[in-house]
Amino acid sequence: MNAIIAVIGQDKQGIMAKIAATCAEHNANIADINQTIMQKYFAMIMLADISAITCSFADFSQAVQATGKSLGMKVHVMHEDIFTSMHKI
Amino acid sequence: MTNTRDILETIGMIQEENLDIRTVTMGISLLDCAASSAEKSCTKIYDKITFLAQSLVQVCDAISAKYGIPIVQKRIAVTPISLLAGTDTTANPIDFAKTLDRAAETVGVNFVGGYSALVQKGFTNGDRRLILSIPQALAETARVCASVNIGSTQAGVNFDAVAVMGQIVQQAAQLTQAENCIGAAKLVVFCNAPEDNPFMAGAFHGVGEPDCVINVGVSGPGVVRAAIKRSNDLNITELAELIKRTAFKITRMGQLVGAEAARNLGVPFGIVDLSLAPTNAQNDSVAHILEEMGLEICGCHGTTMALAILNDAVKKGGLMAASNVGGLSGAFIPVSEDAGMIAAVEQGALSLAKLEAMTAVCSVGLDMVVIPGDTPAETIAAIIADEAAIGMINNKTTACRIIPAIGKTVGEELIFGGLLGKAPVMAVNQHSPLKFITRGGQIPAPLQSLRN
C-alpha cells in the first residue's frame, strides 16, 4: 500500500531530510523520490510504502503535513490509488 | 511511480479547480417497513435508516482523508413514501416526513430524498394524500426533499397532476416565505425520473433497486473550464475530445470512491452519476465553461449548441470510466447555484425561454429558477407541462425546480445561501394558459413509447 507525498513550495535546505525523518518516525518506507522545479516552485514527489505504518493513515497524513507546514511548504498526502485510477486504464 | 505531471495535475484539479465528489448517497428500500399503522411504519423506518446509515458519514470522511479529495455531501434516498403512506388511510403523511427528518439528523446527513410520489399514469390514494401534504412537510422539516414524477415517455403525462403541482409549488413557497421560500427549492417535479439519482432534491430509491445501495455523484465544472482555457485554439472536434478526456478523469475518481465506500459499508455499489454540478464558487460554473468555449455570455445565441456538445462529451468520457453509469449524468444548469448563470440573468442575457431551450439538451431541466411571487398556479403548471413535453418526446429526464419568490418581483433577488446560492427573479410570460391547464386528463403516451 503506497502513499504519494507531494511537497510544493519555495526550494530551501532540509526539505527532503525533514519529510523523510517524519516518514521514518511512523515506519513508512520511502520507495522512490522525484523532484522537479516547476516555474520557480520546487515540487518533490515521494512514493512511500505505508503498509507498516504505526498509526492510522489520517494521523500519518497530518504528521507529514505538519512537518511541511513548519518548512513553509504545502504538502499533500494521498493514497496512490487515486492517481493510478485517474491516469491509467 | 506515477508520472509527476499526472500527480500535480490531480492535485491542481482538487486544490485550484474545485474538483470534488459532490455526493455519496445511500439508497435504502423502505418497502419492508410498511406496517398496518403509520406509527409502526415510522418506527421501522427510523430503525432501518439509522441502522444502515449509522457509519455513512464516518466512512466517507475516512475515504476523503485517504485520497485527499473532498466528499461534499453525504445523503440518503429512500423508497417513495407514497407507497408506505397508502397502507394506513387514517395516517397523516407528515409523520413520515418528520421521521425521515429525525433519522437524517441522527446519522448526520443534511438531506434525505424520497418524500415522493410517482403518478405518471394516475394517482393512488397514498399518492394523492402525500402530494397534498408536501408544502406542509417541507415547511415543518429541515432535511426532507420531495419529488413527484408526473410523466414519462412510456406512460404520457398525468395532466391532472400537472395542474395540482402548479398549486403545490406555489404553496410550498408561500408556507416558507419567511425562509426565502426554501420549501419550493426542496421540491422537484419530474418527467422520466431516474430511480437511482444521487443528487438532491430529486433523489429517491426506486422500487426496482436493491435493499441498500451506494450511488455517487461526481462534479468538476472548474476542471473542464480550466482544461479548455489551457487549450485555447482547438477546433470543435478537438474541444469535444478534450472534454471527453477530462470527464473520464473526473469520473474515475467517482468510481474509486464509490466502490470503496460501498465495500466499507458492506452494501452493493450502484452507479456513478457523472454530472457537472456547479456551485456558487467562482471557479465552479457550467456557464463559464460555455463562455470559455467561445460565447460572450451564457444565454446568447449558440448557447444551446455549446451545452449540447458539453453534455454529450461529458457522457461519452464518463461512460468508459465507470462500471455502471446512471442517475442524471450530464451537465446541470441550476441558475442560483451557478455564478455564471446568475451573472447572465442579471445582465439580461439569459431568459427563461432560453433556459427552456437549454433543458432540451442538458441533463435535467429548469433548476433553481426564481420567478415572481405573484405568478399564477396555472402558469407554474404550464411551465412544468412544457418541461414534461421536452422530456416525454425526447426520451430524457426533465425536471422543474422553480421557486416563486413570494412578495418579490423582477429586479429583486432571493438569497438562499450555502450551496443553493442566490438568484434574481426572472420574468415569466404574462399570458394565461388557464383553460389548457384546467382541462385535466391523461396526455396519451407519445409515438416514442411504442418501441417493442
Side-chain angles (χ1 to χ4, degrees):
Chain A
M1 204 163 76
N2 293 327
I4 298 278
I5 303 168
V7 186
I8 302 161
Q10 292 235 301
D11 197 8
K12 61 174 71 111
Q13 281 185 332
I15 297 173
M16 197 188 291
K18 287 196 174 143
I19 300 280
T22 308
C23 288
E25 221 172 277
H26 295 86
N27 214 22
N29 181 36
I30 296 167
D32 199 354
I33 299 182
N34 199 334
Q35 65 177 54
T36 177
I37 305 284
M38 295 205 1
Q39 284 139 13
K40 56 184 177 179
Y41 287 103
F42 166 83
M44 179 177 75
I45 313 285
M46 283 176 155
L47 179 76
D49 181 354
I50 51 164
S51 27
I53 51 171
T54 50
C55 57
S56 71
F57 184 91
D59 290 342
F60 172 67
S61 168
Q62 269 172 17
V64 180
Q65 284 181 51
T67 306
K69 207 174 171 190
S70 70
L71 289 160
M73 307 292 282
K74 218 164 183 184
V75 177
H76 305 277
V77 185
M78 296 153 83
H79 197 284
E80 190 190 20
D81 285 356
I82 192 166
F83 303 103
T84 42
S85 73
M86 192 186 238
H87 297 285
K88 288 184 182 151
I89 297 174
Chain B
M1 184 161 84
T2 312
N3 187 311
T4 304
R5 217 184 53 189
D6 290 344
I7 290 172
L8 294 175
E9 183 191 9
T10 303
I11 292 172
M13 284 179 179
I14 297 168
Q15 297 297 320
E16 316 289 330
E17 296 157 11
N18 295 319
L19 175 60
D20 54 43
I21 302 295
R22 184 52 47 83
T23 178
V24 172
T25 303
M26 178 179 265
I28 300 174
S29 170
L30 299 181
L31 288 171
D32 56 0
C33 297
S36 53
S37 77
E39 199 186 336
K40 284 183 192 163
S41 296
C42 286
T43 306
K44 286 175 140 189
I45 289 171
Y46 180 84
D47 291 347
K48 184 165 186 184
I49 293 176
T50 51
F51 174 71
L52 287 172
Q54 58 185 329
S55 52
L56 175 65
V57 173
Q58 197 188 340
V59 164
C60 289
D61 288 347
I63 293 172
S64 182
K66 179 176 174 186
Y67 294 116
I69 180 155
I71 299 175
V72 183
Q73 308 288 358
K74 281 71 85 173
R75 290 167 168 174
I76 292 170
V78 297
T79 305
I81 290 295
S82 69
L83 297 174
L84 286 90
T87 55
D88 179 354
T89 49
T90 61
N92 182 356
I94 306 285
D95 293 340
F96 288 89
K98 288 184 173 164
T99 303
L100 293 177
D101 203 36
R102 211 156 43 86
E105 188 183 11
T106 304
V107 298
V109 301
N110 65 346
F111 279 125
V112 51
Y115 199 72
S116 307
L118 312 177
V119 296
Q120 58 270 28
K121 222 170 173 181
F123 301 95
T124 63
N125 277 332
D127 293 332
R128 204 182 293 276
R129 286 190 299 122
L130 180 119
I131 289 173
L132 295 177
S133 76
I134 285 175
Q136 195 192 341
L138 296 178
E140 291 182 13
T141 58
R143 299 166 193 82
V144 175
C145 292
S147 57
V148 176
N149 191 61
I150 49 91
S152 72
T153 303
Q154 207 58 37
V157 172
N158 179 344
F159 213 44
D160 292 319
V162 170
V164 171
M165 287 316 294
Q167 293 162 4
I168 296 294
V169 168
Q170 195 180 49
Q171 288 166 17
Q174 283 166 346
L175 285 186
T176 50
Q177 184 181 355
E179 300 156 86
N180 294 309
C181 311
I182 192 76
K186 296 186 287 182
L187 169 60
V188 183
V189 187
F190 274 116
C191 178
N192 287 325
E195 304 209 335
D196 52 7
N197 160 30
F199 286 102
M200 294 296 164
F204 64 88
H205 186 75
V207 290
E209 295 283 307
D211 191 54
C212 185
V213 70
I214 286 290
N215 296 321
V216 168
V218 295
S219 184
V223 179
V224 176
R225 185 199 182 188
I228 297 173
K229 195 173 187 171
R230 279 193 295 270
S231 322
N232 206 9
D233 51 354
L234 302 180
N235 73 24
I236 222 69
T237 317
E238 293 162 340
L239 192 68
E241 184 63 25
L242 176 73
I243 296 170
K244 240 164 72 177
R245 294 168 74 96
T246 312
F248 175 85
K249 291 178 183 174
I250 295 170
T251 311
R252 291 289 279 185
M253 202 94 91
Q255 170 75 20
L256 176 75
V257 166
E260 185 150 338
R263 197 165 51 242
N264 293 354
L265 288 160
V267 299
F269 180 27
I271 56 97
V272 178
D273 186 326
L274 39 106
S275 287
L276 295 185
T279 64
N280 233 338
Q282 222 19 264
N283 255 340
D284 214 19
S285 152
V286 167
H288 287 159
I289 298 177
L290 304 177
E291 289 163 10
E292 205 64 62
M293 287 170 81
L295 304 174
E296 183 188 342
I297 188 164
C298 176
C300 73
H301 293 296
T303 302
T304 311
M305 182 50 106
L307 182 60
I309 295 165
L310 173 67
N311 203 48
D312 186 62
V314 165
K315 284 181 190 163
K316 286 174 179 164
L319 198 57
M320 191 180 157
S323 52
N324 285 296
V325 172
L328 299 161
S329 286
F332 290 173
I333 51 169
V335 175
S336 77
E337 299 170 8
D338 187 310
M341 297 273 174
I342 296 168
V345 174
E346 281 169 349
Q347 291 180 42
L350 181 59
S351 65
L352 197 56
K354 188 64 181 174
L355 269 175
E356 185 183 314
M358 290 162 72
T359 65
V361 298
C362 81
S363 67
V364 197
L366 289 178
D367 196 11
M368 293 304 287
V369 174
V370 177
I371 57 172
D374 60 358
T375 307
E378 63 271 17
T379 300
I380 299 172
I383 294 172
I384 293 170
D386 284 343
E387 275 305 299
I390 292 171
M392 175 178 77
I393 297 297
N394 295 303
N395 267 308
K396 78 180 285 290
T397 301
T398 46
C400 267
R401 184 159 51 145
I402 37 181
I403 301 121
I406 306 301
K408 296 191 176 188
T409 189
V410 178
E412 296 178 86
E413 61 177 14
L414 213 48
I415 301 167
F416 306 106
L419 269 184
L420 293 175
K422 61 159 192 164
V425 178
M426 295 180 79
V428 298
N429 191 307
Q430 296 297 311
H431 301 282
S432 175
L434 182 62
K435 187 174 176 192
F436 177 61
I437 292 299
T438 47
R439 280 178 187 274
Q442 176 79 17
I443 298 173
L447 186 64
Q448 287 84 336
S449 69
L450 301 174
R451 284 183 292 180
N452 290 337

